Amino acid sequence: MSKQTTRREVLKGGAALAGLGALGFPQWGLPALAQGETLVQFTDLPEQIVLERTPDRRIIEIRDIDGSLTPANKWFTTQHYGHPVVDHATFRLRVSGLVNTPLALSLADIRALPSRELVFGFECSGNRGPQNGLSSNGRWTGVSLRTVLERAGIKDTAQEFVFFGADRGEEDVDFRGSITKVEQQYGRSLRRYQALSDEPMLAYALNGDPLTVHQGSPLRLLVPGWYGAPNVKWVSDIRVQEDQYLGKFQTHWYRTLKGEMIDGEMKWVESGISKMRLKSYVARVTKMGNQHKVFGVILHDGTPIKSVEVRIDDGPWQAATLDPSTSEKYSWKFFTYDWRGATPGEHTVTSRATDTSGYMQPTSEELEVKKTFLEQNNQHPRKLIIA
Ligand SMILES: Nc1nc2c(c(=O)[nH]1)N[C@H]1C(S)=C(S)[C@@H](COP(=O)(O)O)O[C@H]1N2
Ligand SMILES: [Mo]
């Protein structure tokens, strides 16, 4: 191979040489290594993880991340009710409720509106170590939510904006112990100031191609800096109302219970998930000659990153370097760290990020007051063996 060979070509060549493609293994199953570089085995992750659990669910292999944008066919994906069938020809985005002009926009109508792009990476609020496979990063194209809402004309009394997907499922709704079975659509809401801000968008393309069914074709909501759940896929209805929306996925399923010290007293607080809590993790450690390199990922709500540090075992925290290819505000961020003098044997490699608000990624001990597993952004000590 020539010196100019890209890492991606090495990846493809490797897959072809090993015949993995023919056996039906995803090309994603090979790490993104430079020539002469080898992967250091993690002992807190199996050598090979199952990337596709069902046809509609997929995680990423963090050790194989080889570019800032995750290709559509590798994007992590999940949902509650499977994939709905949406006919693009008859599709209409309906905007109803407290609006001056109810809308029913075709895809052509939406594509005719001024478009914008957004690099945005997010994780499922249930994403956690050691695997951390429920996150990806993409360049999205679509229209500002506000553009659509302004076309409808929002009444002064409107406070709550509810986004429904075309996907439906049956739910048991409990009211004081009596259960009613209802069919409902996946739904999430935003408050007025959030919906009418410049940020949220209705996306129809990912990395320059129309959305795939996995990512919500033909249209999805994106709320930059927030966890996955609010990014409603297959969005088909926007209902504008005064009352708070209390649907299952808004108020019940995606929530966190944690202890908080308030005026010197420990209180139990339940809150919904919205903005991503700052997280970093070590995704890959590689060896070239006797040099070792640590590569990691940061997920965050868009607040600028002040620092990211790495520590080996119980050693001092050392500054790692942010990768300039991931500098867009809402992109996930990459960092690298040159690990000098690595000694043979077992080690832990831990990262921690701090943002400019002063928030530092917590340790797992500090997160023990959180009793539910969402928003699990603790520092994760990666375990590995240097040969
Ligand atoms: N319509 C609809 N949108 C949805 C969901 C869903 O079940 N239905 N799941 C949410 C959750 S929990 C996550 S993590 C993201 C996953 O988005 P992705 O499949 O594009 O990665 O979609 C969100 N949007
Ligand atoms: Mo999620």
Side-chain angles (χ1 to χ4, degrees), residues 180-232:
T180 306
K181 277 200 186 300
V182 295
E183 201 204 44
Q184 61 175 37
Q185 288 167 266
Y186 182 84
R188 288 283 310 188
S189 66
L190 295 176
R191 285 140 84 194
R192 183 185 177 104
Y193 78 93
Q194 294 158 341
L196 293 179
S197 78
D198 286 334
E199 301 268 282
M201 74 185 267
L202 295 164
Y204 45 72
L206 169 61
N207 301 336
D209 293 317
L211 292 185
T212 61
V213 65
H214 291 81
Q215 264 65 56
S217 162
L219 199 64
R220 88 178 297 171
L221 177 68
L222 292 174
V223 189
W226 289 30
Y227 281 112
N231 300 317
V232 178

Side-chain angles (χ1 to χ4, degrees), residues 298-364:
I298 298 171
L299 289 149
H300 71 136
D301 67 1
T303 307
I305 303 301
K306 189 172 143 215
S307 66
V308 55
E309 300 159 289
V310 167
R311 97 163 155 177
I312 310 297
D313 304 321
D314 294 324
W317 289 101
Q318 307 275 357
T321 308
L322 282 170
D323 181 333
S325 76
T326 52
S327 58
E328 288 98 343
K329 182 172 182 188
Y330 292 111
S331 175
W332 65 7
K333 308 285 181 294
F334 293 162
F335 63 89
T336 55
Y337 172 76
D338 285 323
W339 179 5
R340 288 165 209 281
T343 53
E346 283 185 54
H347 295 282
T348 61
V349 183
T350 313
S351 68
R352 73 172 184 199
T354 305
D355 70 22
T356 56
S357 79
Y359 179 80
M360 181 186 280
Q361 191 184 353
T363 61
S364 44

